Structure formats: structure tokens, C-alpha cells
């Protein structure tokens, strides 16, 4: 059992402050709308990372949903004003990874 699962208050504090901190830092490098879009892809990314960690198998309709989810994000970000700051995008993805780590560490809720 992960140490953070044994200390729920610590896990919550790290998850909330880490995710919010990364998100706020990301908005200094990329537009807030783009940072929000990346951060709110976590439902789509949890399916990708859960499948990569072999917590579950992807079915064909889930793959179609993933493609549609990422395609929608690309369409929304592809308005010609896309900021390609690796730092900002990395920080926004870091915010998502912190949320995913917390969610995926609770495999008893997934299985």
C-alpha cells in the first residue's frame, strides 16, 4: 500500500496544492484557456494511463472515445493562437499527472 494512501490528509494536501501550483505556474507561460484545456483532459488521460499500467483493457469503443476526446482538444487549441511553450505545456501536464497519480493509486476504486 502506498504511503500516501495510509495518510489521506497528506495525500489530499499534496494532490491539491501540487496540482493547483503546477496549473498556476503553467498560466504564466501559456494562455489560461490552453492550460485549462490540458488540465481538464484528465478523464481522458486516466483511461490512457490506466490502460498503460494494465489496470484494465481498452475496448474498441473506448479507443474511439479517446480519439474523439483528444481530437476535440486539438480542434479547440488549433485556432491559430496556440502557444507552444514547452515549459507551460509541461507544467499543465504535470498538474494532470499529479491528479492521475492520486486517482490511480486508489486501484480499489477502479477494479
Amino acid at each position: 500500500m502506498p504511503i500516501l494512501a495510509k495518510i489521506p490528509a497528506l495525500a489530499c494536501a499534496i494532490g491539491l496544492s501540487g496540482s493547483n501550483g503546477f496549473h498556476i505556474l503553467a498560466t504564466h507561460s501559456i494562455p489560461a484557456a490552453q492550460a485549462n484545456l490540458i488540465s481538464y483532459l484528465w478523464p481522458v488521460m486516466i483511461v490512457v494511463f490506466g490502460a498503460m499500467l494494465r489496470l484494465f483493457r481498452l475496448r474498441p469503443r473506448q479507443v474511439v472515445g479517446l480519439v474523439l476526446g483528444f481530437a476535440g482538444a486539438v480542434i479547440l487549441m488549433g485556432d491559430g493562437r496556440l502557444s507552444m511553450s514547452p515549459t507551460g505545456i509541461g507544467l499543465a501536464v504535470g498538474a494532470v499527472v499529479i491528479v492521475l497519480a492520486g486517482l490511480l493509486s486508489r486501484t480499489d476504486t477502479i477494479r
Side-chain angles (χ1 to χ4, degrees):
M1 175 180 265
I3 185 110
L4 293 179
K6 296 177 184 177
I7 311 169
L10 179 62
C12 182
I14 290 172
L16 289 176
S17 62
S19 176
N20 288 334
F22 272 66
H23 183 74
I24 290 168
L25 290 173
T27 60
H28 290 286
S29 300
I30 59 176
Q34 185 178 347
N36 284 335
L37 185 59
I38 293 169
S39 293
Y40 287 104
L41 278 175
W42 72 264
V44 176
M45 290 184 190
I46 196 167
V47 174
V48 171
F49 287 119
M52 286 173 33
L53 294 172
R54 298 184 185 262
L55 296 175
F56 48 81
R57 283 181 9 125
L58 286 179
R59 296 187 179 99
R61 70 179 190 189
Q62 291 168 323
V63 173
V64 170
L66 290 173
V67 169
L68 290 174
F70 282 118
V74 168
I75 289 169
L76 289 174
M77 288 194 312
D79 65 354
R81 293 176 292 167
L82 179 64
S83 171
M84 294 305 289
S85 167
T87 303
I89 292 172
L91 288 167
V93 170
V96 174
V97 168
I98 290 173
V99 171
L100 292 178
L103 291 173
L104 291 175
S105 70
R106 300 285 313 201
T107 56
D108 59 324
T109 60
I110 294 173
R111 293 181 185 199

